Amino acid sequence: MTLRHSLVSALSGIVLGLGLSVATAPGAAADPCGFYETGSDAYYNHCTSDGSHVVIEVEVWGPNYERCVGPGRTWLGSASKIDGAFYTGRTC
């Protein structure tokens, strides 16, 4: 886990611990924001209402890679091959 990923996770925990809500895009209630897995697939859900595209870092066995994703759910690949993904703080 990278330092950046650790900081994002820690800040998310603080926000949730304070009882603050995290904004979600309309229709995104069924899928959590950020990285998540189903039984066989890995996704990144960019929850936004401003139409922005962001850069995420996808964690895989071997070198990680960056990917630009738009609003809503993006399929990253098989859950057995993707270890995680997180927002890098940049738009694309």
Side-chain angles (χ1 to χ4, degrees):
M1 183 180 297
T2 64
L3 176 61
R4 184 180 302 155
H5 189 233
S6 297
L7 291 174
V8 170
S9 295
L11 288 174
S12 297
I14 291 169
V15 168
L16 293 174
L18 294 173
L20 302 173
S21 64
V22 177
T24 59
D31 300 324
C33 296
F35 175 77
Y36 70 96
E37 294 178 343
T38 63
S40 60
D41 296 303
Y43 295 92
Y44 188 88
N45 189 21
H46 175 42
C47 298
T48 184
S49 59
D50 67 4
S52 62
H53 287 66
V54 297
V55 178
I56 62 169
E57 183 171 328
V58 181
E59 298 174 330
V60 294
W61 180 260
N64 294 348
Y65 63 91
E66 291 185 344
R67 182 168 177 183
C68 180
V69 297
R73 182 173 74 164
T74 301
W75 182 75
L76 300 177
S78 171
S80 65
K81 297 182 181 196
I82 307 292
D83 294 323
F86 60 93
Y87 172 54
T88 65
R90 301 187 330 258
T91 57
C92 49

